[in-house]
Amino acid sequence: HYRYNRINRKLSNNTNMIAKYKLLIVASIVVFTIITCINPLYPEEQFLQHIGTALFVLLMLFDLKKNFLGAVSFTGLALFTILHIIGARYIYSYVPYDEFTKQLCGVSINELLSTTRNHYDRLVHFSFGLLLLPMFSQIAEKQMKCSKGAAIVTAWLLIQTGSMIYELFEWLLTIVMTSEAANNYNGQQGDMWDAQKDMALALLGSTFTAILMSITKKHQR
């Protein structure tokens, strides 16, 4: 009985710590979003980009109430949201990461890659698979009652489906918006294979995390 109470207290303390951690993360993201909206560089495009931000924040707020996601899954969602907020500030095509790395460590990423294209959108698509697969895996395990292995595979498939649906959404924008506005939002930068490359990067990121989670699961077992 003593050991049972001791374990319960430890679990309760861990749950409270995770809840406080999540609340701190959400509050920080809200403040960060507000700061990035001050003196917007591209007001119309930034508003459209932040539709995604609102969805991510609402998901995190919902989790604050239900406490459904684990710390790793929630952290992945938070990091992806931060990357998206930075992209929304500069509408992806103009995120000054190259200037930042030059000032920070004197290294030009574009020179290393031998390119003049802004690749920030590529990073975000890669991060979509890399950071969000744990969340989708947890949803599949708890809501779909999948085993851990099946949950990882299901999450991997959900990432590819979500990536494809988003690219279809970007294609629809090119139909209803002006070509300039659609190009600013989509960040194609003249690359006719942009959609295929974005989906390939999401696949690569999710595959890396799926392998890592599978190895971790094996060691835990």
Side-chain angles (χ1 to χ4, degrees), residues 70-203:
V72 173
S73 299
F74 193 88
T75 301
L77 175 60
L79 289 174
F80 182 77
T81 303
I82 291 170
L83 289 174
H84 173 72
I85 292 169
I86 295 171
R89 169 69 178 177
Y90 299 97
I91 60 169
Y92 282 91
S93 297
Y94 305 107
V95 176
Y97 64 84
D98 206 49
E99 291 80 357
F100 178 75
T101 56
K102 282 181 181 178
Q103 293 177 0
L104 186 65
C105 52
V107 176
S108 170
I109 295 178
N110 281 358
E111 287 180 7
L112 290 175
L113 298 175
S114 300
T115 181
T116 57
R117 187 190 190 280
N118 190 298
H119 285 285
Y120 187 80
D121 64 322
R122 304 279 196 239
L123 170 65
V124 175
H125 282 280
F126 176 76
S127 299
F128 176 68
L130 184 76
L131 298 175
L132 296 191
L133 188 129
M135 180 186 72
F136 285 117
S137 177
Q138 193 167 5
I139 291 172
E141 188 175 344
K142 290 188 175 181
Q143 294 297 317
M144 301 179 187
K145 308 301 180 184
C146 297
S147 65
K148 288 186 179 295
I152 292 173
V153 174
T154 302
W156 187 87
L157 293 172
L158 287 172
I159 290 290
Q160 315 324 318
T161 303
S163 180
M164 179 199 68
I165 290 173
Y166 182 76
E167 294 302 329
L168 290 175
F169 168 72
E170 287 192 341
W171 169 63
L172 289 174
L173 286 182
T174 64
I175 297 175
V176 300
M177 300 173 67
T178 64
S179 58
E180 182 181 358
N183 187 62
N184 285 337
Y185 179 86
N186 294 343
Q188 291 175 300
Q189 302 178 60
D191 188 352
M192 65 180 294
W193 301 109
D194 181 71
Q196 288 84 350
K197 291 176 181 178
D198 289 346
M199 288 189 289
L201 284 167
L203 185 150

Side-chain angles (χ1 to χ4, degrees), residues 22-63:
K22 289 180 178 181
L23 182 60
L24 177 63
I25 291 296
V26 173
S28 300
I29 286 176
V30 170
V31 172
F32 182 57
T33 303
I34 293 172
I35 292 173
T36 61
C37 288
I38 298 174
N39 297 323
L41 302 174
Y42 310 93
E44 295 180 5
E45 289 84 356
Q46 188 174 13
F47 173 78
L48 183 62
Q49 293 281 1
H50 276 312
I51 294 175
T53 306
L55 292 174
F56 297 140
V57 171
L58 284 174
L59 181 57
M60 286 186 280
L61 289 173
F62 177 78
D63 185 64

